[in-house]
Amino acid sequence: MLTRTPSVVAQVFLLLSIILVIAIAVIQINQQKILSPGLKYGIVLDAGSSRTTVYVYEWPAEKENNTGVVSQTFKCNVKGPGISSYENNPGALAKPLDDCLKKVKERIPVHLHKTTSVYLGATAGMRLLRLQNETAANEVLASIQHYFRAQPFEFRGAQIITGTEEGVYGWITANYLMGNFLERNLWRTWVHPYRKETMGALDLGGASTQISFIPEVSQENFNSTLQVKLYGYNYNVYTHSFQCYGRDEAEKRLLALLLQKSSTSSSVDNPCYPRNYNTALTVKYFCGSLCTQSLRPANYYPNQSVSFHGTGDPGLCQEMVSLLFNLTACKNQEDCPFDRVHQPKVKGNFVAFSGFYYTINALNLSDHFSLADFNTSMWYFCSQNWTQLQFMLPKFEETYARSYCFSANFIYYLLIHGYNFDEGNWAQIHFQKEVGNSSITWSLGYMLSLTNMIPAESKMIQLPLKPPLFAGLLILLTATALLCLLFLVYVCIVSRNRKDISRVEYVFTPE
């Protein structure tokens, strides 16, 4: 009876230990929670020729096919001109940057500041400055690097991106925002859209303009075709950047051309300026650029003042703008519209952003309209006098308002005679500023490309029991089960031995 009781207790403990080990293991496996590692942030400074814009992007730390699903969460325009304007005083860059960076710090959680990467990409304005004065360009970039060393973020460098990069990043942005790379299915997971065509991208900046699209047939003679890989798919994109064909630099070339053709050097008529508008500009303002070097007067006095009088003549404005395009350089080759650049035939839908959008908005046109409507609106706008114009524009700023007529004519010539759009495929161009809350600009495409190089974080697993406690319980219960098992084996052996002794004693007992 005494042996039987411990044996029963041991059997109960053994059974309970086995049941508990199985139960804890099942609960630990089935009740675990997979937690997202959260969000990551990136900051891109778009250092354009006329201004700098700061963009804050965020994306889930676990990526989709090696590319982050990125969205814009904040945008800040840095006060003042573009960074290339600080060539004579690079140290003055810090103050205007400070205002935006303070707001950025508030948008990103403090504990993520150290792991948030900052990239500065400078475009055509700095490309021109580097060609004109490489030392000054390097000093501007060095000043920016010095500034960001004192910031809490992880600064990954300030670089001057090429025109090709600017073009392809703009194409990536446009197609990403239009949902041409990824879309959510019925189960709310990201998938590649089935048979969805990509869009071409048209970008008009201050110093350069870019065209990017996937041609009908990929041809080797177009050396501006790049292979882009996003979300596991490859795209062969034709892209080209035209230096000095940005809105600001093109207008400077027009002013220099008007001065060259004028009978006087102090007072010049400008058919692209509104009637009754007058302004005085220094020769350096429009002839000091590398883009207008060939148009400088023989007697070049940088500080000489020239008075420009607006005549508001749409026909003459269009005629003068046509002189900015070298349409005969290619000798009427079909795949070479202007500037000795070979370009495949435009194909599919296009989105036109940046300077394209702002000009179309000034003409009071929507994102989609016919070529005839554009010409009518342009002619009407260019015929207005300066006083009338101030009441027509949704936002009036003198520097932009006086130039919208020129911009409209320049856009017409660039799209029709430069890129070979016509009345038929003009309707396929959509003029847009943003999609949702995200601006259409090369910086988002830049961020998307950079996320390919940022490693994804593994998901965190939350368990019902902490690993040390789980391990401790397993060891305790396993040890208990083993002890109980050993005890039962021992009891079994002892019991068998006693039976054997009892049998022997019975055999040798005298009768």
Side-chain angles (χ1 to χ4, degrees):
M1 184 68 186
L2 289 172
T3 306
R4 191 175 300 168
T5 301
S7 176
V8 172
V9 171
Q11 289 178 48
V12 170
F13 269 99
L14 176 62
L15 186 61
L16 284 173
S17 297
I18 294 170
I19 291 170
L20 286 172
V21 166
I22 294 170
I24 291 172
V26 169
I27 291 170
Q28 189 79 337
I29 293 168
N30 292 336
Q31 297 300 314
Q32 65 183 6
K33 293 179 181 177
I34 298 175
L35 302 178
S36 168
L39 297 170
K40 282 192 172 184
Y41 292 86
I43 303 167
V44 179
L45 281 79
D46 174 0
S49 58
S50 56
R51 70 179 179 190
T52 298
T53 307
V54 181
Y55 295 95
V56 177
Y57 298 107
E58 68 175 26
W59 64 95
E62 66 271 22
K63 297 189 294 180
E64 187 75 30
N65 289 335
N66 290 325
T67 312
V69 183
V70 181
S71 60
Q72 178 183 314
T73 61
F74 182 64
K75 172 186 173 182
C76 181
N77 293 323
V78 177
K79 291 179 182 177
I83 64 172
S84 57
S85 302
Y86 292 86
E87 58 178 303
N88 297 320
N89 188 15
L93 273 165
K95 193 176 185 304
L97 286 173
D98 259 341
D99 294 336
C100 277
L101 264 292
K102 284 177 184 175
K103 295 173 184 175
V104 168
K105 289 171 189 173
E106 294 170 1
R107 294 279 177 160
I108 299 174
V110 176
H111 70 279
L112 293 177
H113 283 184
K114 287 184 179 180
T115 56
T116 297
S117 298
V118 179
Y119 306 85
L120 182 138
T123 54
M126 285 296 285
R127 290 198 288 268
L128 285 173
L129 179 60
R130 183 169 58 184
L131 290 171
Q132 202 165 2
N133 188 340
E134 189 173 357
T135 301
N138 290 336
E139 286 175 356
V140 169
L141 295 179
S143 176
I144 290 167
Q145 289 174 344
H146 177 74
Y147 170 80
F148 276 102
R149 284 195 196 103
Q151 299 301 317
F153 305 111
E154 183 185 4
F155 185 58
R156 304 296 286 269
Q159 63 172 323
I160 300 172
I161 66 170
T162 66
T164 300
E165 288 173 326
E166 187 177 358
V168 79
Y169 290 145
W171 178 85
I172 290 171
T173 297
N175 283 283
Y176 175 81
L177 293 176
M178 298 292 178
N180 296 334
F181 296 141
L182 282 179
E183 66 180 9
R184 287 191 184 275
N185 61 16
L186 293 172
W187 294 272
R188 305 300 294 164
T189 57
W190 292 102
V191 295
H192 185 79
Y194 180 66
R195 287 188 176 179
K196 199 164 187 179
E197 292 289 324
T198 59
M199 295 184 76
L202 300 168
D203 184 4
L204 179 61
S208 67
T209 186
Q210 287 75 231
I211 179 171
S212 309
F213 63 99
I214 294 181
E216 187 77 52
V217 180
S218 181
Q219 298 180 32
E220 292 181 4
N221 62 322
F222 301 118
N223 55 12
S224 293
T225 302
L226 296 177
Q227 188 176 85
V228 178
K229 185 172 184 178
L230 281 168
Y231 302 99
Y233 286 80
N234 291 319
Y235 304 89
N236 292 313
V237 184
Y238 166 84
T239 183
H240 190 83
S241 176
F242 292 89
Q243 190 85 297
C244 297
Y245 281 90
R247 200 204 68 84
D248 297 343
E249 292 299 328
E251 187 178 11
K252 288 176 185 177
R253 289 195 287 131
L254 174 76
L255 296 175
L257 194 62
L258 290 170
L259 176 62
Q260 191 181 77
K261 292 181 175 294
S262 176
S263 56
T264 66
S265 59
S266 58
S267 183
V268 179
D269 288 341
N270 185 347
C272 297
Y273 277 166
R275 280 184 292 115
N276 302 329
Y277 175 75
N278 299 293
T279 188
L281 302 171
T282 64
V283 176
K284 183 182 179 181
Y285 171 78
F286 54 88
C287 281
S289 168
L290 200 65
C291 295
T292 53
Q293 203 169 30
S294 62
L295 295 169
R296 283 178 188 172
N299 299 318
Y300 176 53
Y301 301 105
N303 296 321
Q304 179 189 339
S305 182
V306 180
S307 295
F308 286 93
H309 307 285
T311 60
D313 187 335
L316 188 55
C317 175
Q318 198 165 96
E319 185 182 321
M320 293 305 298
V321 167
S322 69
L323 299 177
L324 302 178
F325 293 83
N326 186 356
L327 301 175
T328 60
C330 294
K331 298 179 181 177
N332 299 319
Q333 295 179 44
E334 188 178 348
D335 63 351
C336 181
F338 80 109
D339 209 36
R340 296 186 179 89
V341 174
H342 289 268
Q343 175 199 299
K345 186 178 180 181
V346 290
K347 166 188 169 282
N349 290 306
F350 281 76
V351 58
F353 49 97
S354 298
F356 287 109
Y357 167 80
Y358 292 114
T359 301
I360 296 307
N361 187 52
L363 297 184
N364 200 28
L365 291 166
S366 61
D367 70 327
H368 196 59
F369 46 86
S370 68
L371 179 57
D373 288 341
F374 174 76
N375 283 327
T376 301
S377 297
M378 178 173 65
W379 200 272
Y380 175 76
F381 187 93
C382 290
S383 301
Q384 304 304 307
N385 65 46
W386 181 240
T387 306
Q388 292 169 317
L389 211 58
Q390 297 179 45
F391 298 103
M392 289 174 59
L393 294 170
K395 185 180 179 182
F396 183 81
E397 290 182 42
E398 182 182 342
T399 308
Y400 295 110
R402 72 189 185 194
S403 302
Y404 281 131
C405 174
F406 162 76
S407 300
N409 279 283
F410 180 75
I411 285 171
Y412 171 84
Y413 254 85
L414 178 65
L415 296 180
I416 298 297
H417 298 287
Y419 297 151
N420 282 345
F421 283 94
D422 54 34
E423 192 172 357
N425 56 21
W426 177 278
Q428 293 176 292
I429 306 173
H430 301 264
F431 296 84
Q432 285 182 247
K433 177 185 178 183
E434 55 191 18
V435 176
N437 295 321
S438 295
S439 304
I440 306 176
T441 175
W442 65 266
S443 56
L444 176 54
Y446 187 50
M447 191 74 249
L448 284 165
S449 299
L450 290 170
T451 56
N452 271 328
M453 297 180 286
I454 299 171
E457 291 184 4
S458 58
K459 295 176 179 179
M460 294 183 293
I461 300 173
Q462 190 180 66
L463 301 168
L465 297 175
K466 291 182 179 180
L469 178 59
F470 176 65
L473 285 172
L474 281 182
I475 291 169
L476 177 64
L477 293 170
T478 304
T480 303
L482 285 171
L483 287 171
C484 291
L485 185 62
L486 288 172
F487 178 76
L488 288 172
V489 170
Y490 170 77
V491 168
C492 185
I493 292 169
V494 169
S495 177
R496 183 173 293 175
N497 288 339
R498 284 182 178 177
K499 284 181 180 179
D500 290 342
I501 292 168
S502 296
R503 191 176 295 114
V504 171
E505 287 178 348
Y506 175 77
V507 171
F508 287 98
T509 298
E511 294 184 1

